[in-house]
Amino acid sequence: CPAVLAPRSSSVAMPPPADIVKVAIEWPGAFPKLMEIDQKKPLSSIIKEVCDGWSLANHDQFALQHADSSNFYITEKNRNEIKNGAILRLTTSPAQNAQQLHERIQSSSMDAKLEALKDLANYSRDVTFAQEFINLDGISLLTQMVESGTERYQKLQKIMKPCFGDMLSFTLTAFVELMDHGIVSWDTFSVAFIKKIASYVNKFASDISILQRSLAILESMVLNSHDLYQKVAQEITIGQLIPHLQGTDQEIQTYTIAVINALFLKAPDDKRQEMANILAQKQLRSIILTHVIRAQRAINNEMAHQLYVLQVLTFNLLEDRMMTKMDPQDQAQRDIIFELRRIAFDAESEPNSSSGSMEKRKSMYTRDYKKLGFINHVNPAMDFTQTPPGMLALDNMLYFAKHHQDAYIRIVLENSSREDKHECPFGRSSIELTKMLCEILKVGELPSETCNDFHPMFFTHDRSFEEFFCICIQLLNKTWKEMRATSEDFNKARERLGFSFSFPCPPQVMQVVKEQIMRALTTKPSSLDQFKSKLQNLSYTEILKIRQSERMNQEDFQSRPILELKEKIQPEILELIKQQRLNRLVEGTCFRKLNSRRRQGTAQPAFYC
């Protein structure tokens, strides 16, 4: 009789089904319950089961919430976020809780009212509770308390100042949290409410929490409603905001810059330059440089983002000039070109109308415009009819000629004395460089909601873009010489690619210059002089060395045999990793829990068995 082989029992327990999560549930005054939650069952059935275990009636008035610091309610929408080993709490339902708090914040007792507002500020972070409280017209109740209710307590402010400050702070915090859920439109608020919030920016400058919430509310009003932008702009001035930047609290500084950015962003096009002039008069750039960027503390991510937004909005003021074509018939614009010629070749060389014929004057002008590097030697105004960069290129050239006159004259005369095939045409190079700098700085684009890439050096000068151009045009001239670029090389390169003769420099030159600029910007120089020094160390030879080094580091891993091998063994490796993770979970282990700041906290057990 053949032996019957009994199935071998496995010593390793199987993991629980995917729809079952093991949790602990707390209830005040009772020992926590350990139970398995079937995610396929309705949440109401699970709550009823928990209530029955503690002999609690009216299970529809109860709910489950996370027992961590968030205290968020568990709903059918978010229940899949419950993890094995989670600790939950049985508590009153969101509707019941909202009704109770709605009544408590209207208590005649100051202490009871204060405690209720504190709880409301905490619960309002949860969208489930927020919806229930808003359904009770809770937002209107809070705005009424801000508009008129707080005035009843201002008489007691001298003797109960801490209590009054805390009460107002919790009221504003609850309001901000409720509005952040996007359930209620910002267009519903009265002028009286806006005036009250704006007054807090001045009245409670010493109360950090009230000031912070007030600034946050003003920012949201401006960003979310065109009508409210106009009302806020009438109530709050840049002069009222500037003092908050001169303090030491970075959070207040961040909210202040956020309000300025919001006003700047939502301002009509015809008002934006006017606002920029006011900011310049109030020396905003200098104040930010001194009290924020160069303060003896690290800049956090939110502050970096607001500085980036301000940087983008400031450079976007150049968009109008960038997209403006030159009018060849506009004498004022033509005079700028005359001024460039005068500075470069000196007015003394110009013949007067009595001694020189008109033809001789035209001939001399044509010769000088060719030396200046324009494409159209007869009428250079035609060079600035392409947008971008439009008139912005001419503005940069004039700024360079006036504020860095020696460098301007040196570049023009140096190239005009070379052989034609080795000259670096200043005019055409300036046009192409201006266009490239606008692309690098994304002039005309709206700021990203997540980017925090601001550059401290742009806050060190009132004309930072023009100074940026002045440094880069000298770099371009230097790189041109180092690469021994020629007009013939440029023409051949363009003919091969099928381009017309509308670009001033060999593409290789502009590519190298862009790489030099981008690599220098990546180091985040603290000043324009430091940026210039970084460029000095990034010569054409150095760029070639860096490229070669990077290529050598990449070739070993990007070669075809390596890529083919990687593609072949990747499925096997991924399967091995998957099995290793499953084995680890079955055996059970402890993991370090990362908090919101990504710092390791205490070890948390994984409830796998």
Side-chain angles (χ1 to χ4, degrees):
C1 178
V4 178
L5 298 177
R8 185 175 58 183
S9 62
S10 174
S11 60
V12 179
M14 295 299 293
D19 294 322
I20 303 296
V21 288
K22 297 183 177 182
V23 300
I25 301 180
E26 299 176 339
W27 173 251
F31 288 107
K33 286 181 177 292
L34 297 178
M35 66 179 295
E36 294 183 351
I37 291 180
D38 186 352
Q39 293 285 38
K40 292 181 179 179
K41 292 177 60 177
L43 188 59
S44 58
S45 299
I46 296 172
I47 294 173
K48 183 178 185 305
E49 182 181 341
V50 175
C51 290
D52 290 344
W54 276 308
S55 301
L56 297 174
N58 301 322
H59 68 274
D60 56 330
Q61 296 183 7
F62 291 90
L64 292 174
Q65 65 180 182
H66 291 280
D68 56 16
S69 58
S70 69
N71 293 327
F72 285 172
Y73 281 100
I74 295 169
T75 64
E76 291 289 355
K77 290 183 179 180
N78 64 24
R79 60 182 298 178
N80 289 329
E81 298 174 8
I82 302 175
K83 305 298 182 184
N84 276 299
I87 302 176
L88 310 181
R89 180 187 299 118
L90 184 66
T91 185
T92 54
S93 67
Q96 193 84 355
N97 195 10
Q99 182 64 49
Q100 292 173 0
L101 280 173
H102 191 274
E103 295 171 358
R104 288 171 56 200
I105 62 174
Q106 301 180 71
S107 172
S108 58
S109 168
M110 291 284 286
D111 291 336
K113 192 184 193 77
L114 179 61
E115 193 64 28
L117 287 168
K118 182 179 179 180
D119 291 341
L120 179 62
N122 181 48
Y123 280 110
S124 295
R125 295 177 297 137
D126 186 352
V127 65
T128 307
F129 169 85
Q131 183 67 69
E132 297 293 343
F133 188 78
I134 290 171
N135 289 343
L136 296 172
D137 209 15
I139 292 288
S140 296
L141 178 59
L142 291 179
T143 54
Q144 290 171 14
M145 291 172 63
V146 171
E147 290 176 17
S148 58
T150 52
E151 293 178 359
R152 292 180 296 173
Y153 304 105
Q154 287 179 355
K155 296 178 181 179
L156 304 174
Q157 188 175 354
K158 292 184 179 179
I159 58 175
M160 302 182 67
K161 187 173 183 179
C163 180
F164 171 77
D166 290 343
M167 185 179 299
L168 182 56
S169 174
F170 289 136
T171 302
L172 296 178
T173 301
F175 177 85
V176 170
E177 297 290 353
L178 291 169
M179 293 301 298
D180 278 349
H181 297 298
I183 300 172
V184 179
S185 170
W186 283 91
D187 288 313
T188 59
F189 299 108
S190 66
V191 175
F193 179 73
I194 299 171
K195 287 179 178 290
K196 184 67 69 173
I197 296 297
S199 70
Y200 293 157
V201 173
N202 297 321
K203 190 180 298 182
F204 293 97
S206 60
D207 193 316
I208 300 300
S209 60
I210 295 176
L211 178 58
Q212 178 196 89
R213 274 68 168 183
S214 299
L215 290 169
I217 293 171
L218 291 176
E219 180 199 7
S220 295
M221 284 179 173
V222 173
L223 291 177
N224 290 285
S225 170
H226 177 69
D227 290 339
L228 289 186
Y229 154 74
Q230 295 177 322
K231 295 173 183 176
V232 171
Q234 293 173 356
E235 295 298 327
I236 201 77
T237 66
I238 299 300
Q240 293 171 321
L241 295 172
I242 290 293
H244 300 309
L245 291 173
Q246 297 171 315
T248 57
D249 189 289
Q250 186 170 125
E251 199 165 5
I252 293 299
Q253 292 174 325
T254 302
Y255 278 101
T256 302
I257 297 177
V259 174
I260 294 174
N261 285 339
L263 290 168
F264 210 155
L265 183 64
K266 293 300 180 178
D269 292 341
D270 58 333
K271 295 289 185 181
R272 204 163 290 165
Q273 186 60 57
E274 180 182 330
M275 182 176 176
N277 294 336
I278 295 174
L279 295 177
Q281 293 172 3
K282 299 295 182 180
Q283 299 182 328
L284 176 69
R285 177 197 60 78
S286 178
I287 290 171
I288 290 177
L289 181 66
T290 302
H291 296 279
V292 178
I293 297 176
R294 292 180 177 173
Q296 299 300 313
R297 61 176 179 272
I299 294 178
N300 59 37
N301 289 337
E302 183 57 31
M303 172 61 83
H305 172 69
Q306 294 301 335
L307 292 174
Y308 151 79
V309 172
L310 181 59
Q311 172 185 291
V312 171
L313 294 177
T314 302
F315 284 141
N316 280 356
L317 293 171
L318 303 170
E319 183 182 11
D320 182 57
R321 295 293 284 175
M322 181 182 76
M323 300 306 295
T324 299
K325 296 181 180 181
M326 184 171 183
D327 181 2
Q329 305 304 318
D330 190 316
Q331 187 59 43
Q333 295 180 2
R334 292 170 61 86
D335 286 344
I336 298 176
I337 298 178
F338 294 152
E339 182 68 5
L340 289 173
R341 176 188 169 276
R342 185 195 66 77
I343 295 174
F345 304 114
D346 195 359
E348 294 179 2
S349 64
E350 183 173 340
N352 55 53
S353 57
S354 60
S355 61
S357 66
M358 183 61 67
E359 290 298 323
K360 187 175 180 180
R361 286 170 58 86
K362 287 183 177 179
S363 175
M364 187 186 69
Y365 274 50
T366 300
R367 181 196 66 201
D368 289 347
Y369 290 148
K370 182 178 180 181
K371 290 180 179 180
L372 281 170
F374 291 113
I375 297 175
N376 193 319
H377 306 153
V378 178
N379 186 7
M382 299 303 297
D383 287 18
F384 301 95
T385 56
Q386 181 182 359
T387 59
M391 287 295 293
L392 185 60
L394 187 59
D395 294 342
N396 284 338
M397 293 167 68
L398 182 62
Y399 182 90
F400 182 51
K402 285 189 171 183
H403 295 84
H404 300 270
Q405 193 170 115
D406 291 344
Y408 166 70
I409 294 174
R410 175 177 55 78
I411 288 177
V412 173
L413 297 184
E414 182 181 89
N415 286 287
S416 64
S417 62
R418 287 187 198 169
E419 299 178 23
D420 287 345
K421 65 178 183 178
H422 287 299
E423 68 178 3
C424 176
F426 171 73
R428 289 176 286 167
S429 298
S430 297
I431 293 171
E432 185 67 11
L433 178 64
T434 299
K435 182 179 178 180
M436 186 179 75
L437 296 183
C438 289
E439 292 173 354
I440 290 174
L441 298 177
K442 296 179 171 56
V443 175
E445 296 183 20
L446 289 175
S448 166
E449 294 183 0
T450 57
C451 184
N452 56 8
D453 187 25
F454 85 98
H455 296 279
M457 72 178 193
F458 290 131
F459 290 84
T460 63
H461 201 285
D462 289 330
R463 304 288 294 275
S464 59
F465 183 81
E466 289 86 346
E467 289 292 326
F468 186 43
F469 168 84
C470 293
I471 294 172
C472 293
I473 191 64
Q474 296 177 74
L475 168 71
L476 193 157
N477 185 66
K478 174 174 171 286
T479 303
W480 179 287
K481 290 190 293 184
E482 291 173 347
M483 295 179 67
R484 296 189 59 78
T486 65
S487 298
E488 285 79 3
D489 291 336
F490 163 69
N491 293 331
K492 289 177 182 177
R494 285 300 166 186
E495 287 170 5
R496 285 197 303 270
L497 294 172
F499 288 106
S500 63
F501 191 75
S502 60
F503 294 86
C505 304
Q508 297 88 346
V509 175
M510 295 308 295
Q511 289 170 6
V512 171
V513 170
K514 184 173 184 177
E515 185 173 347
Q516 290 170 317
I517 294 171
M518 294 299 292
R519 288 186 182 276
L521 286 176
T522 302
T523 64
K524 295 296 180 72
S526 60
S527 66
L528 290 164
D529 287 339
Q530 193 177 91
F531 172 70
K532 191 173 183 179
S533 298
K534 297 286 184 183
L535 292 177
Q536 292 293 332
N537 297 326
L538 287 171
S539 63
Y540 174 55
T541 303
E542 185 63 25
I543 290 294
L544 291 180
K545 290 180 181 179
I546 294 173
R547 285 180 174 181
Q548 180 67 17
S549 175
E550 291 177 347
R551 193 178 300 115
M552 291 295 291
N553 292 335
Q554 292 177 358
E555 281 178 354
D556 291 341
F557 299 98
Q558 300 300 323
S559 61
R560 183 178 295 274
I562 295 295
L563 292 176
E564 290 176 352
L565 178 61
K566 179 181 177 182
E567 184 178 357
K568 184 176 180 180
I569 67 175
Q570 187 176 25
E572 184 179 347
I573 292 176
L574 291 176
E575 181 62 25
L576 181 62
I577 293 171
K578 180 180 177 181
Q579 291 299 323
Q580 189 71 10
R581 287 176 175 173
L582 288 174
N583 292 338
R584 186 72 169 177
L585 293 175
V586 169
E587 294 171 7
T589 188
C590 288
F591 301 97
R592 288 286 179 181
K593 183 179 180 181
L594 294 176
N595 60 23
S596 60
R597 296 184 179 179
R598 300 194 65 79
R599 295 177 180 171
Q600 289 189 350
T602 56
Q604 300 292 326
F607 289 85
Y608 295 96
C609 57

